[in-house]
Amino acid sequence: MSQLQTVQDAFAALTGLGLAITDSEGALLTKPSGREDWLSRLLAEEDGAPRLLQELAGIWKSGRPGSPALDYEIEAGVKLAAVPIPADTGKAGIVWGAFFAEARMSKALQDYEAHSGRQEGSWATLRAELPLLNAGEKHRLLEQLSRFAQTASLLLRQDDGDAAGGKRHQAHLIREAAQLVDKPGFRLMDALRLLKQADRSLGFVGYAHRAEAMRFQIADLVGEQAAGLLGTSFSLGEGFLGQAATTGQPARWTEMERDPRSVFFSRLGIRPHTLYAFPVLLEQSVRGVLFAGTVREETAGEEVYELGQTFASLLGARQVVDMLRDERNKHYIRLTMMMEIARTLTLVEERKRAMFILIDMSVNLFESPYAAVFLRQPSGKAQVVSRGLPQREAEARLRDIVPRYEGFQEDELSADLVTMREREGVRYLECPLVSKGKFLGVFLIGLKRPTDEADARELFLSLAMMGSAALVRIAERERQQGPSVVQLLHRTVKQWNPEAYSHTLEAKELGAAFAKERGLSAEETERIGDACCLAPLEGEIIREWIGDPGLLHVLNEMREIVKAAGEQPVSQADAAFGEASQIVVLALGSAGYAFKAGRHPLGAVSPALRKRFEAFRERRETLELELSLEGPVDVKEPVKSMKELGLSSREQEVLRLVATGRSNREIAETLFISEHTVKNHMTNIFQKLGVTDRSQLIALVYQRGYGQN
Amino acid sequence: MRDELTLRLQLECTLFFEANPYTLESVQGLALRLGRRPDHLETILGRLVELAILERLGEGQRAIYRYIQPAVAADSDLEWARP
């Protein structure tokens, strides 16, 4: 287009005409040149548009399609020469050759005006200044204009070609950039290299990402001439790039060598001539600044500015995609992790392990500096499992927590039960552990960064929910499955102290029967029996294996009663210890169980309960005796039924001797075995025949007519 | 959020040591038990040491790891009651 302008200017100067070139709609393609006084009339604007020019173009287009040339009479005596620019090879257009006056017409008008004494038309003043052309001169003018139109056509075609080529190149770069940012392994450097290809005059292209709230860092750069920029940073509002980052609008600066704002570059020995900056926006926030520049005294084309903005939009779009992808991955990771944790918590059978999982998973997922679970025990005690909290601090947290959850009545967990708190400058999340209306305790995690809250809250609630469900399930399971663990432990007693085992077996039966008579619940009755069985075991072993807090409580109290024997006034016993624990002590004492340190703990049991227990025992012994003596003869069973009960041949021998009234020592001597072995056999026989003592065994043997055959 | 494999391995290792609290494992040994690559586990175990979930004994190839159990306050020591 610049070449056409040059030719047009030269032609106007040569011919002394005013020249304008428009497209077929009357829009100027070049800057008019030549006689300004003429052109000003032609180009006079009305409502911001050259009205006359556009009207003439409209008339031309509709009335004279393909006309080779035209002398258009604006008004009497004033003509406008115009020729079309051939449209077959290039852009269609019109060359307007400004005005002239026809000699013949001008003479006639002058005569008329002289005669009438007035001037005709608004162009009369101009007409006086216009060159007067006769027919031959007019023909030559139109020919000249036609030749110029031919030249203009060639130049326009070339310009069209350049523009189309430029557009094609630009479109190619945009397409490449779009493909680049769409690739999974997208590298920013590839996009920068691509943008640098847009214009050879570009010396560098780079990207500054937002490293902090107020600071941007240049971590990617193409162009050796500006290599010093790599790794440098600038603040919002600092220099040219900081200015673009502040406004969020694309900008360009030229001839910036002497601009004081270029100190950011000059201190690094870089002196850009032109600089472009394109902020990359994500949700209305500037995430980075794409920039490019020339370092010689060159100015890149307009297309760099347009292309840069497109690249910045594509990078923004890529960042949105990355953000969404990250978000999706984050949710996916969370989901899979939570599924894994849920699966583990579903399988775990120990309360302590469930608490460990809750704590360790929190530390892993939130990088928490500390995590703790506080459980409320039925005994009124607390169990605390923590990581990262010193014991004293854990106790302080417990004191802090307890009043807050007094009278807590929620049935299930919900998001509003998660609270954010702060202690000694560290923020932490706290949530009660509750499931099926049971308040179990409190779970808390410290947060590494204050910004973690929003992310952590939801996940923390999920963990608390899973933990609550697991803890309730474990508690129920422990209650249901407790006896099997108790039985296992009781069997170990049998191995190392058969006598104590025998006594505890008797005490179990006695205690449970008394509890039943007293109207205690099935759960408590079961606990009394279990506590009798576990009495000989050390506290440490029991704590390790027994999960039922109620049973642990009975055992603890039983030990307290033993300790308190002789130290505590009897009148206070009722208030000091639970009935279940006192029944355990009564049953064990009655069965002849030897308490440690030789203390007889019955003194620490409530006198009223003790009296009732003694009455119960008396009634029971009488009944047993009656049963032994009055067993109906017709229920006798053949001796083979003993075999059916699963007694071994050795046990049958032992039983036979028992039935004859031999003592253990006598049986041992008869069978050439130790007394200890006899006791073992006796224990097994008791278990297999479902009796608890020797007298019951003898009664049963005679009931079944042992030895008659 | 760290990438999926890292976090998954981190949880996997933690759960392994929780389930086997008295075990002492080298990177190679753990890789064999979990069916994972030793070079993947090395970073993970380092991370768990940083989080004080594991303890590292020894250095380099000979380093072995063991679980640090969370602190447990016995129920007989603490009361769930107002101070």
Side-chain angles (χ1 to χ4, degrees), chain A residues 360 364 380 382 384 386-387 406, chain B residues 10 18 52 67-68 71 73 78 82:
Chain A
D360 286 343
N364 270 303
V384 182
S386 63
R387 193 183 279 290
E406 256 181 24
Chain B
Q10 213 171 299
E18 258 172 14
Y67 183 57
I68 303 173
L78 300 167
R82 265 181 176 278

Side-chain angles (χ1 to χ4, degrees), chain A residues 16-47:
Chain A
L17 295 171
L19 284 176
I21 299 176
T22 71
D23 62 14
S24 55
E25 306 296 327
L28 286 167
L29 294 177
T30 56
K31 192 178 163 192
S33 40
R35 296 285 298 260
E36 278 183 21
D37 51 341
W38 300 358
L39 289 167
S40 61
R41 285 183 173 260
L42 181 67
L43 302 173
E45 289 189 351
E46 201 178 309
D47 298 330

Side-chain angles (χ1 to χ4, degrees), chain A residues 421-489:
Chain A
R421 299 180 178 279
E422 193 170 326
R423 194 176 167 101
E424 291 172 3
V426 179
R427 287 158 78 88
Y428 66 97
L429 284 171
E430 182 182 298
C431 181
L433 293 169
V434 58
S435 181
K436 297 179 182 174
K438 284 184 187 170
F439 173 74
L440 305 158
V442 175
F443 179 26
L444 59 85
I445 57 161
L447 294 180
K448 196 175 174 185
R449 295 168 292 264
T451 48
D452 290 346
E453 183 193 341
D455 248 14
R457 198 175 261 270
E458 199 183 327
L459 208 53
F460 177 60
L461 175 67
S462 308
L463 264 183
M465 281 177 166
M466 290 193 292
S468 300
L471 288 168
V472 165
R473 180 184 55 76
I474 290 166
E476 283 172 3
R477 192 186 171 93
E478 278 171 348
R479 200 174 57 73
Q480 286 165 4
Q481 295 198 338
S484 65
V485 179
V486 171
Q487 208 168 29
L488 197 69
L489 290 171

Side-chain angles (χ1 to χ4, degrees), chain A residues 405-424:
Chain A
Y405 292 91
E406 256 181 24
F408 183 85
Q409 284 186 333
E410 300 291 335
D411 282 346
E412 292 297 340
L413 268 177
S414 58
D416 52 348
L417 291 175
V418 178
T419 51
M420 168 60 75
R421 299 180 178 279
E422 193 170 326
R423 194 176 167 101
E424 291 172 3

Side-chain angles (χ1 to χ4, degrees), chain A residues 79-94:
Chain A
K79 286 203 163 187
L80 176 64
V83 291
I85 297 170
D88 54 338
T89 52
K91 187 182 281 183
I94 307 163

Side-chain angles (χ1 to χ4, degrees), chain A residues 332-333 336-337 344 353 356-357 360-361 364-365 367 376 380-382 384-387 395 398 402 406 439, chain B residues 2 4 8 10-11 14-15 18-19 47-48 52 67-73 75 78-82:
Chain A
Y332 177 72
I333 290 168
T336 52
M337 295 304 118
T344 312
R353 176 124 196 265
F356 281 12
I357 290 172
D360 286 343
M361 293 304 107
N364 270 303
L365 290 171
E367 300 181 12
R376 186 174 70 181
K381 303 276 183 183
V384 182
V385 174
S386 63
R387 193 183 279 290
E395 288 175 20
L398 177 66
V402 171
E406 256 181 24
F439 173 74
Chain B
R2 291 138 287 166
E4 190 192 352
R8 184 180 280 269
Q10 213 171 299
L11 297 193
T14 306
L15 290 173
E18 258 172 14
R47 181 82 194 110
L48 291 174
Y67 183 57
I68 303 173
Q69 291 211 6
V72 181
D75 59 353
L78 300 167
E79 295 281 344
W80 188 286
R82 265 181 176 278

